[in-house]
Structures are given as C-alpha cells and as structure tokens.
Amino acid sequence: MTSLVERQERREAIAGLQAVMQAMPQIHTEAIHHFAHGVYVREFRARAGSLVVGKLHRYSCVNIILSGSAEVRTEDESLFLTAGDVFVSKPGAKRAVLVTEDIRWLTVHPAGTTDLEDLENDLIAPSFDDLPPTMLEADL
C-alpha cells in the first residue's frame, strides 16, 4: 500500500508537472459531452504523444477506454490502459496521462443538469485543499 507521505509526494509531482505544462504551448484535445436521463458522459480524445494532466474529480466515476492506449500515473498507481478497459476511479483522482495511441476515453458521472459550468463546479475540485482530508487518506 502507498503511504500518506508517498501519496502527497506523487500528488505534488502531478501538480508540479501541470504547472510546468501550463507555461508551454498547449495541444488540442477534444471533449465531447453526452447526456441521458441523470447521466453525463464526457468523451475525451487526444492524439498519440500527448501529455495531459486531468482535472481533480470530487467523486468516483466510471471510466471506459473506447480506443487507443495510455500510460497513467496517479497518487496511488501507475497503469497502462488500453481499449476495452473499464474501471472506477475513486474520489480525489487526478492523473498524468501520456497517450501512447490516439485515445477515446469516457468518464461517466451522475448529473442533475446539462449546464457544463454547473457540472464543472459540482464534479471538479479546484485543488486538493478543496477536498475533505478523509477522502485523501482513504484506502491507505
């Protein structure tokens, strides 16, 4: 298991990578939004070679890799994801993703609205400081 100190170090490394990347020219990634009764599905598309740091999710969500592949680092693990993978990410998930083959990645969230700004405010935390400490220590 990952210790609290290791998780904090990895969290800081991902945040540091994001800060460095924000000062660089940005690549184009695509987000397509799908809605059904009470469900919001965000489809993320990126090209091979893209390095992306994802947003900080407040809640768990279902993830589906439709096509492509990527190396993924979180505070807890390193993964290689490929087409057909389905998994649940825990609350507080923030990822550094290196796309190794053009990817289509879905995240599935409950939604009471189709307003993207409202969804962003509800589903995404601005920083780890905006999450309850117990969430960040879960599953140690």
Side-chain angles (χ1 to χ4, degrees):
M1 274 196 196
T2 308
S3 75
L4 189 55
V5 171
E6 289 171 312
R7 290 174 96 181
Q8 181 63 33
E9 288 171 353
R10 291 177 185 171
R11 216 177 280 141
E12 289 171 3
I14 292 170
L17 173 63
Q18 184 174 18
V20 168
M21 289 173 58
Q22 286 174 329
M24 297 177 165
Q26 300 298 295
I27 61 166
H28 174 73
T29 61
E30 188 175 2
I32 301 168
H33 309 282
H34 307 276
F35 295 93
H37 182 76
V39 177
Y40 165 54
V41 179
R42 182 177 185 276
E43 181 178 347
F44 166 76
R45 295 181 180 191
R47 305 294 257 168
S50 300
L51 180 60
V52 178
V53 175
K55 295 182 179 184
L56 179 59
H57 291 237
R58 290 184 193 273
Y59 312 106
S60 62
C61 64
V62 174
N63 296 259
I64 304 163
I65 308 302
L66 293 178
S67 62
S69 61
E71 293 181 29
V72 179
R73 304 287 188 274
T74 71
E75 65 182 25
D76 292 316
E77 59 191 347
S78 297
L79 304 166
F80 185 76
L81 300 175
T82 189
D85 286 347
V86 178
F87 63 98
V88 175
S89 56
K90 67 181 188 177
K94 185 168 182 72
R95 301 177 187 91
V97 177
L98 175 60
V99 178
T100 54
E101 181 183 348
D102 292 2
I103 199 163
R104 291 177 60 211
W105 179 332
L106 303 179
T107 54
V108 182
H109 307 271
T113 181
T114 58
D115 183 283
L116 293 175
E117 186 175 335
D118 287 347
L119 283 168
E120 178 95 1
N121 290 335
D122 178 46
L123 301 173
I124 304 302
S127 74
F128 285 104
D129 292 336
D130 295 297
L131 298 174
T134 53
M135 179 185 296
L136 301 175
E137 297 169 6
D139 299 324
L140 286 176

Short mmCIF file of all heavy atoms in Angstrom, two decimals, residues 7-16 18 53-58 73-76 90-96 124-137:
data_model
loop_
_atom_site.label_atom_id
_atom_site.label_comp_id
_atom_site.label_asym_id
_atom_site.label_seq_id
_atom_site.Cartn_x
_atom_site.Cartn_y
_atom_site.Cartn_z
N ARG A 7 1.84 9.32 -1.18
CA ARG A 7 0.71 9.88 -1.92
C ARG A 7 0.86 11.39 -2.06
O ARG A 7 0.62 11.95 -3.13
CB ARG A 7 -0.61 9.55 -1.22
CG ARG A 7 -0.97 8.08 -1.30
CD ARG A 7 -2.19 7.78 -0.49
NE ARG A 7 -3.34 7.82 -1.39
CZ ARG A 7 -4.56 7.60 -0.97
NH1 ARG A 7 -4.83 7.39 0.29
NH2 ARG A 7 -5.56 7.62 -1.84
N GLN A 8 1.26 12.05 -0.98
CA GLN A 8 1.44 13.50 -1.01
C GLN A 8 2.56 13.88 -1.99
O GLN A 8 2.41 14.83 -2.77
CB GLN A 8 1.76 14.04 0.39
CG GLN A 8 1.94 15.54 0.45
CD GLN A 8 0.69 16.31 0.07
OE1 GLN A 8 -0.42 15.88 0.33
NE2 GLN A 8 0.87 17.45 -0.56
N GLU A 9 3.64 13.14 -1.99
CA GLU A 9 4.75 13.42 -2.92
C GLU A 9 4.30 13.25 -4.37
O GLU A 9 4.63 14.07 -5.22
CB GLU A 9 5.93 12.50 -2.62
CG GLU A 9 6.66 12.85 -1.34
CD GLU A 9 7.69 11.81 -0.94
OE1 GLU A 9 7.77 10.72 -1.57
OE2 GLU A 9 8.44 12.09 0.02
N ARG A 10 3.55 12.21 -4.64
CA ARG A 10 3.06 11.98 -6.01
C ARG A 10 2.04 13.03 -6.41
O ARG A 10 2.04 13.48 -7.56
CB ARG A 10 2.47 10.57 -6.11
CG ARG A 10 3.54 9.51 -6.01
CD ARG A 10 2.95 8.14 -6.04
NE ARG A 10 3.98 7.14 -5.82
CZ ARG A 10 3.72 5.86 -5.63
NH1 ARG A 10 2.47 5.41 -5.65
NH2 ARG A 10 4.71 5.01 -5.43
N ARG A 11 1.19 13.43 -5.48
CA ARG A 11 0.22 14.50 -5.73
C ARG A 11 0.96 15.78 -6.12
O ARG A 11 0.60 16.46 -7.08
CB ARG A 11 -0.58 14.73 -4.44
CG ARG A 11 -2.01 15.06 -4.63
CD ARG A 11 -2.71 15.20 -3.29
NE ARG A 11 -3.03 13.89 -2.76
CZ ARG A 11 -2.94 13.56 -1.49
NH1 ARG A 11 -2.57 14.43 -0.58
NH2 ARG A 11 -3.26 12.35 -1.08
N GLU A 12 1.99 16.12 -5.35
CA GLU A 12 2.78 17.32 -5.62
C GLU A 12 3.52 17.22 -6.96
O GLU A 12 3.64 18.22 -7.68
CB GLU A 12 3.77 17.57 -4.48
CG GLU A 12 3.07 18.03 -3.20
CD GLU A 12 3.99 18.07 -1.99
OE1 GLU A 12 5.21 17.80 -2.12
OE2 GLU A 12 3.48 18.36 -0.89
N ALA A 13 3.99 16.03 -7.31
CA ALA A 13 4.67 15.84 -8.59
C ALA A 13 3.71 16.07 -9.76
O ALA A 13 4.06 16.71 -10.75
CB ALA A 13 5.28 14.44 -8.67
N ILE A 14 2.49 15.56 -9.65
CA ILE A 14 1.50 15.76 -10.71
C ILE A 14 1.14 17.24 -10.81
O ILE A 14 1.06 17.80 -11.90
CB ILE A 14 0.25 14.88 -10.47
CG1 ILE A 14 0.62 13.40 -10.66
CG2 ILE A 14 -0.88 15.27 -11.42
CD1 ILE A 14 -0.45 12.42 -10.22
N ALA A 15 0.95 17.91 -9.67
CA ALA A 15 0.64 19.34 -9.67
C ALA A 15 1.81 20.14 -10.25
O ALA A 15 1.60 21.10 -11.00
CB ALA A 15 0.31 19.81 -8.26
N GLY A 16 3.03 19.74 -9.93
CA GLY A 16 4.21 20.42 -10.47
C GLY A 16 4.31 20.25 -11.98
O GLY A 16 4.63 21.21 -12.70
N GLN A 18 1.82 19.79 -13.97
CA GLN A 18 0.76 20.62 -14.54
C GLN A 18 1.20 22.09 -14.60
O GLN A 18 0.98 22.76 -15.61
CB GLN A 18 -0.52 20.48 -13.73
CG GLN A 18 -1.68 21.26 -14.32
CD GLN A 18 -2.98 20.99 -13.58
OE1 GLN A 18 -2.99 20.51 -12.46
NE2 GLN A 18 -4.08 21.31 -14.21
N VAL A 53 -2.55 16.47 -18.05
CA VAL A 53 -2.87 16.32 -16.63
C VAL A 53 -4.36 16.60 -16.50
O VAL A 53 -4.85 17.66 -16.89
CB VAL A 53 -2.05 17.28 -15.75
CG1 VAL A 53 -2.49 17.17 -14.29
CG2 VAL A 53 -0.56 16.96 -15.87
N GLY A 54 -5.07 15.62 -15.96
CA GLY A 54 -6.52 15.71 -15.85
C GLY A 54 -6.97 16.58 -14.70
O GLY A 54 -6.18 17.00 -13.84
N LYS A 55 -8.26 16.80 -14.66
CA LYS A 55 -8.88 17.58 -13.60
C LYS A 55 -9.03 16.72 -12.35
O LYS A 55 -8.96 15.50 -12.40
CB LYS A 55 -10.23 18.12 -14.07
CG LYS A 55 -10.06 19.10 -15.22
CD LYS A 55 -11.37 19.67 -15.67
CE LYS A 55 -11.11 20.67 -16.80
NZ LYS A 55 -12.34 21.32 -17.21
N LEU A 56 -9.24 17.37 -11.24
CA LEU A 56 -9.38 16.71 -9.94
C LEU A 56 -10.85 16.40 -9.68
O LEU A 56 -11.66 17.31 -9.50
CB LEU A 56 -8.81 17.62 -8.85
CG LEU A 56 -8.87 17.15 -7.42
CD1 LEU A 56 -8.12 15.83 -7.24
CD2 LEU A 56 -8.29 18.21 -6.50
N HIS A 57 -11.20 15.13 -9.69
CA HIS A 57 -12.60 14.71 -9.54
C HIS A 57 -13.00 14.63 -8.07
O HIS A 57 -12.29 14.03 -7.26
CB HIS A 57 -12.80 13.35 -10.20
CG HIS A 57 -12.70 13.40 -11.69
ND1 HIS A 57 -13.71 12.98 -12.51
CD2 HIS A 57 -11.71 13.85 -12.51
CE1 HIS A 57 -13.35 13.17 -13.77
NE2 HIS A 57 -12.14 13.69 -13.79
N ARG A 58 -14.13 15.23 -7.74
CA ARG A 58 -14.65 15.19 -6.36
C ARG A 58 -15.24 13.82 -6.00
O ARG A 58 -15.26 13.45 -4.84
CB ARG A 58 -15.76 16.22 -6.18
CG ARG A 58 -15.32 17.65 -6.19
CD ARG A 58 -16.53 18.55 -5.90
NE ARG A 58 -16.27 19.93 -6.19
CZ ARG A 58 -15.72 20.78 -5.33
NH1 ARG A 58 -15.38 20.39 -4.13
NH2 ARG A 58 -15.52 22.04 -5.68
N ARG A 73 -0.42 7.91 -14.51
CA ARG A 73 0.13 7.98 -13.16
C ARG A 73 -0.86 8.72 -12.28
O ARG A 73 -1.37 9.77 -12.65
CB ARG A 73 1.45 8.74 -13.12
CG ARG A 73 2.53 8.23 -14.02
CD ARG A 73 3.13 6.93 -13.51
NE ARG A 73 4.31 6.53 -14.27
CZ ARG A 73 4.28 5.81 -15.39
NH1 ARG A 73 3.15 5.44 -15.91
NH2 ARG A 73 5.39 5.47 -16.00
N THR A 74 -1.12 8.15 -11.10
CA THR A 74 -1.93 8.82 -10.09
C THR A 74 -1.12 8.83 -8.80
O THR A 74 0.00 8.32 -8.75
CB THR A 74 -3.27 8.09 -9.84
OG1 THR A 74 -3.01 6.86 -9.17
CG2 THR A 74 -4.03 7.84 -11.14
N GLU A 75 -1.71 9.34 -7.74
CA GLU A 75 -1.02 9.33 -6.45
C GLU A 75 -0.84 7.93 -5.92
O GLU A 75 0.00 7.70 -5.06
CB GLU A 75 -1.78 10.19 -5.44
CG GLU A 75 -3.13 9.65 -5.09
CD GLU A 75 -3.88 10.55 -4.14
OE1 GLU A 75 -3.62 11.76 -4.09
OE2 GLU A 75 -4.74 10.03 -3.42
N ASP A 76 -1.62 6.98 -6.43
CA ASP A 76 -1.58 5.62 -5.91
C ASP A 76 -0.93 4.59 -6.81
O ASP A 76 -0.47 3.56 -6.34
CB ASP A 76 -3.01 5.11 -5.63
CG ASP A 76 -3.66 5.85 -4.48
OD1 ASP A 76 -2.99 6.04 -3.47
OD2 ASP A 76 -4.83 6.23 -4.62
N LYS A 90 -11.51 6.54 -7.95
CA LYS A 90 -12.02 6.96 -6.65
C LYS A 90 -12.11 8.48 -6.55
O LYS A 90 -11.50 9.20 -7.36
CB LYS A 90 -11.13 6.40 -5.54
CG LYS A 90 -9.74 6.97 -5.51
CD LYS A 90 -8.95 6.34 -4.41
CE LYS A 90 -7.63 7.05 -4.25
NZ LYS A 90 -6.86 6.53 -3.17
N PRO A 91 -12.84 8.99 -5.58
CA PRO A 91 -12.89 10.43 -5.36
C PRO A 91 -11.48 10.98 -5.12
O PRO A 91 -10.64 10.30 -4.52
CB PRO A 91 -13.73 10.58 -4.09
CG PRO A 91 -14.50 9.32 -3.97
CD PRO A 91 -13.64 8.25 -4.59
N GLY A 92 -11.21 12.16 -5.63
CA GLY A 92 -9.90 12.76 -5.47
C GLY A 92 -8.92 12.34 -6.54
O GLY A 92 -7.74 12.66 -6.46
N ALA A 93 -9.39 11.65 -7.58
CA ALA A 93 -8.49 11.19 -8.65
C ALA A 93 -8.00 12.37 -9.48
O ALA A 93 -8.76 13.23 -9.89
CB ALA A 93 -9.21 10.18 -9.53
N LYS A 94 -6.70 12.40 -9.70
CA LYS A 94 -6.06 13.35 -10.61
C LYS A 94 -4.95 12.58 -11.29
O LYS A 94 -4.17 11.90 -10.63
CB LYS A 94 -5.51 14.57 -9.86
CG LYS A 94 -4.95 15.63 -10.81
CD LYS A 94 -4.68 16.91 -10.07
CE LYS A 94 -4.17 18.01 -10.98
NZ LYS A 94 -5.21 18.54 -11.86
N ARG A 95 -4.88 12.68 -12.61
CA ARG A 95 -3.97 11.83 -13.37
C ARG A 95 -3.04 12.62 -14.27
O ARG A 95 -3.44 13.63 -14.85
CB ARG A 95 -4.78 10.89 -14.27
CG ARG A 95 -5.73 10.01 -13.58
CD ARG A 95 -6.52 9.20 -14.61
NE ARG A 95 -7.55 8.45 -13.96
CZ ARG A 95 -8.79 8.89 -13.76
NH1 ARG A 95 -9.14 10.07 -14.18
NH2 ARG A 95 -9.67 8.14 -13.15
N ALA A 96 -1.84 12.09 -14.44
CA ALA A 96 -0.95 12.50 -15.52
C ALA A 96 -1.04 11.38 -16.55
O ALA A 96 -0.88 10.20 -16.22
CB ALA A 96 0.48 12.66 -15.02
N ILE A 124 -15.79 18.86 -10.25
CA ILE A 124 -14.34 19.12 -10.25
C ILE A 124 -13.96 20.02 -9.07
O ILE A 124 -14.60 21.04 -8.83
CB ILE A 124 -13.91 19.80 -11.58
CG1 ILE A 124 -14.33 18.94 -12.78
CG2 ILE A 124 -12.43 20.10 -11.59
CD1 ILE A 124 -13.79 17.53 -12.79
N ALA A 125 -12.91 19.63 -8.37
CA ALA A 125 -12.38 20.44 -7.27
C ALA A 125 -11.22 21.29 -7.81
O ALA A 125 -10.39 20.78 -8.57
CB ALA A 125 -11.89 19.55 -6.14
N PRO A 126 -11.14 22.56 -7.43
CA PRO A 126 -10.03 23.40 -7.89
C PRO A 126 -8.66 22.90 -7.42
O PRO A 126 -7.66 23.04 -8.13
CB PRO A 126 -10.35 24.77 -7.30
CG PRO A 126 -11.80 24.74 -6.98
CD PRO A 126 -12.12 23.31 -6.66
N SER A 127 -8.61 22.33 -6.21
CA SER A 127 -7.33 21.85 -5.67
C SER A 127 -7.59 20.77 -4.63
O SER A 127 -8.72 20.57 -4.18
CB SER A 127 -6.55 22.99 -5.02
OG SER A 127 -7.14 23.35 -3.79
N PHE A 128 -6.54 20.08 -4.24
CA PHE A 128 -6.66 19.06 -3.20
C PHE A 128 -7.12 19.67 -1.88
O PHE A 128 -7.77 19.01 -1.08
CB PHE A 128 -5.34 18.31 -3.01
CG PHE A 128 -5.06 17.33 -4.11
CD1 PHE A 128 -4.12 17.62 -5.09
CD2 PHE A 128 -5.72 16.11 -4.18
CE1 PHE A 128 -3.86 16.71 -6.11
CE2 PHE A 128 -5.47 15.20 -5.19
CZ PHE A 128 -4.54 15.51 -6.16
N ASP A 129 -6.82 20.95 -1.66
CA ASP A 129 -7.26 21.63 -0.43
C ASP A 129 -8.78 21.75 -0.36
O ASP A 129 -9.32 21.98 0.72
CB ASP A 129 -6.63 23.02 -0.34
CG ASP A 129 -5.13 22.97 -0.13
OD1 ASP A 129 -4.63 21.96 0.39
OD2 ASP A 129 -4.46 23.95 -0.50
N ASP A 130 -9.45 21.61 -1.50
CA ASP A 130 -10.91 21.72 -1.54
C ASP A 130 -11.61 20.39 -1.30
O ASP A 130 -12.84 20.31 -1.36
CB ASP A 130 -11.35 22.30 -2.89
CG ASP A 130 -10.85 23.71 -3.07
OD1 ASP A 130 -11.26 24.58 -2.28
OD2 ASP A 130 -10.03 23.94 -3.98
N LEU A 131 -10.84 19.33 -1.04
CA LEU A 131 -11.40 18.01 -0.76
C LEU A 131 -11.31 17.72 0.73
O LEU A 131 -10.36 18.16 1.39
CB LEU A 131 -10.64 16.93 -1.53
CG LEU A 131 -10.67 17.03 -3.05
CD1 LEU A 131 -9.75 15.99 -3.66
CD2 LEU A 131 -12.07 16.88 -3.59
N PRO A 132 -12.25 16.97 1.28
CA PRO A 132 -12.15 16.59 2.70
C PRO A 132 -10.90 15.76 2.95
O PRO A 132 -10.59 14.87 2.15
CB PRO A 132 -13.41 15.75 2.94
CG PRO A 132 -14.29 15.96 1.78
CD PRO A 132 -13.44 16.43 0.64
N PRO A 133 -10.16 16.01 4.03
CA PRO A 133 -8.94 15.25 4.31
C PRO A 133 -9.18 13.74 4.35
O PRO A 133 -8.33 12.98 3.93
CB PRO A 133 -8.49 15.77 5.67
CG PRO A 133 -9.11 17.12 5.80
CD PRO A 133 -10.40 17.05 5.02
N THR A 134 -10.34 13.32 4.83
CA THR A 134 -10.62 11.88 4.89
C THR A 134 -10.65 11.26 3.51
O THR A 134 -10.28 10.10 3.34
CB THR A 134 -11.97 11.62 5.60
OG1 THR A 134 -12.98 12.39 4.95
CG2 THR A 134 -11.90 11.97 7.07
N MET A 135 -11.05 12.02 2.50
CA MET A 135 -11.06 11.50 1.13
C MET A 135 -9.65 11.22 0.66
O MET A 135 -9.39 10.24 -0.01
CB MET A 135 -11.73 12.51 0.20
CG MET A 135 -11.77 12.04 -1.27
SD MET A 135 -12.43 13.31 -2.36
CE MET A 135 -14.09 13.46 -1.77
N LEU A 136 -8.73 12.07 1.02
CA LEU A 136 -7.35 11.93 0.58
C LEU A 136 -6.60 10.82 1.31
O LEU A 136 -5.55 10.39 0.86
CB LEU A 136 -6.61 13.27 0.73
CG LEU A 136 -7.24 14.42 -0.06
CD1 LEU A 136 -6.51 15.72 0.27
CD2 LEU A 136 -7.23 14.15 -1.54
N GLU A 137 -7.14 10.38 2.42
CA GLU A 137 -6.49 9.33 3.20
C GLU A 137 -7.17 7.97 3.03
O GLU A 137 -6.72 6.99 3.59
CB GLU A 137 -6.48 9.73 4.68
CG GLU A 137 -5.69 11.00 4.94
CD GLU A 137 -5.88 11.56 6.33
OE1 GLU A 137 -6.55 10.90 7.15
OE2 GLU A 137 -5.38 12.66 6.59
#
